Amino acid sequence: MDTGKTCTYVRRHVGGRIEELRERSGVSQTQLAKMIPMNRTYYNDLVLGKANPTLDKLVKIADSLDVPLTELFFGLGDVPPHQLVEYDGTEGARATQARERS
């Protein structure tokens, strides 16, 4: 099974959630990057879904933002990852439904 597009979708979603939670907490990109620690270039790649963060990095980010780890994945719904996107690169109906239920 090719998971490339699914993984890209999940990375972009998680990156967007990190940026949203960071803005909500009032922490600057530079401050969060120092708290983790990571450089701002990596942070930018992370929020754009270009970086593939380790679980350790995600735990540090959640701790730094004072949110549960599950908040980083909020909105992905309750479907298996392969059902999040269709393999032509567009969101599948189940992904849209999953987000609407969240």
Side-chain angles (χ1 to χ4, degrees):
M1 172 189 320
D2 178 19
T3 59
K5 291 182 181 179
T6 301
C7 291
T8 298
Y9 176 82
V10 171
R11 282 195 311 268
R12 286 181 182 155
H13 177 84
V14 171
R17 285 292 297 157
I18 291 169
E19 183 69 356
E20 179 182 331
L21 293 165
R22 180 197 62 77
E23 288 174 352
R24 189 182 310 163
S25 71
V27 174
S28 73
Q29 289 180 354
T30 303
Q31 289 170 322
L32 182 59
K34 286 180 182 177
M35 293 162 91
I36 303 306
M38 65 180 147
N39 65 49
R40 280 200 55 219
T41 302
Y42 181 82
Y43 177 82
N44 288 331
D45 286 347
L46 179 67
V47 299
L48 293 174
K50 295 178 182 178
N52 189 9
T54 64
L55 183 56
D56 290 351
K57 188 78 68 184
L58 293 174
V59 168
K60 289 177 183 179
I61 291 168
D63 266 346
S64 296
L65 295 173
D66 197 30
V67 298
L69 188 57
T70 54
E71 277 296 309
L72 303 182
F73 298 92
F74 180 79
L76 287 173
D78 58 354
V79 296
H82 71 274
Q83 293 179 353
L84 291 173
V85 294
E86 294 176 354
Y87 291 107
D88 66 357
T90 61
E91 290 186 38
R94 295 210 48 190
T96 302
Q97 292 168 359
R99 262 199 317 284
E100 289 171 354
R101 286 191 302 259
S102 299

